[in-house]
């Protein structure tokens, strides 16, 4: 596992898009820097707008307890607005879209 400051690769399914994700940024921030919009609203882990599934890889949270139930966590759901990569990831987010320009 790379240090928190390392850079990882994130693939978004079913889009097949990939973007680099520095360990020091949330997945949402890293996606935006690469021109990809992941759905979000609050950006602090409470509204759950960004909830998607982690298909493979490891993340850590910027906050102690993100707004997910234990069942959602067991089912692989994550909150990209407060999740930071700890390895290369594959996430399932069909609502992802390319930002203009």
């Amino acid at each position: 596992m790379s240090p928190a400051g390392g850079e990882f690769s994130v693939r978004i399914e079913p889009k097949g898009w990939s973007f680099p994700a520095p360990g020091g940024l949330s997945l949402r921030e890293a996606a935006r820097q690469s021109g990809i919009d992941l759905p979000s609203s609050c950006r602090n882990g409470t509204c759950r707008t960004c909830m998607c599934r982690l298909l493979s890889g490891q993340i850590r949270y910027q906050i102690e307890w993100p707004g997910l139930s234990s069942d959602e966590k067991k089912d692989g759901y994550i909150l990209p607005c407060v999740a930071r990569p700890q390895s290369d990831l594959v996430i399932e987010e069909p609502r992802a879209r390319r930002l203009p320009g």
Side-chain angles (χ1 to χ4, degrees), residues 8-88:
F8 304 100
S9 175
V10 179
R11 190 173 78 237
I12 303 171
E13 294 299 344
K15 305 287 188 179
W17 302 337
S18 293
F19 63 92
L25 290 181
S26 73
L27 297 177
R28 180 192 172 276
E29 291 170 307
R32 284 192 72 79
Q33 285 185 359
S34 293
I36 297 170
D37 181 47
L38 298 177
S40 68
S41 185
C42 72
R43 295 186 293 261
N44 66 15
T46 58
C47 78
R48 301 165 42 95
T49 300
C50 67
M51 189 169 76
C52 67
R53 287 193 69 196
L54 177 65
L55 301 178
S56 69
Q58 300 274 332
I59 55 110
R60 70 181 171 85
Y61 285 106
Q62 296 170 222
I63 58 175
E64 193 170 316
W65 183 254
L68 293 170
S69 71
S70 57
D71 284 341
E72 289 166 336
K73 284 181 158 187
K74 278 191 285 188
D75 289 340
Y77 288 96
I78 63 169
L79 298 173
C81 73
V82 290
R84 293 182 179 185
Q86 296 291 281
S87 69
D88 290 342

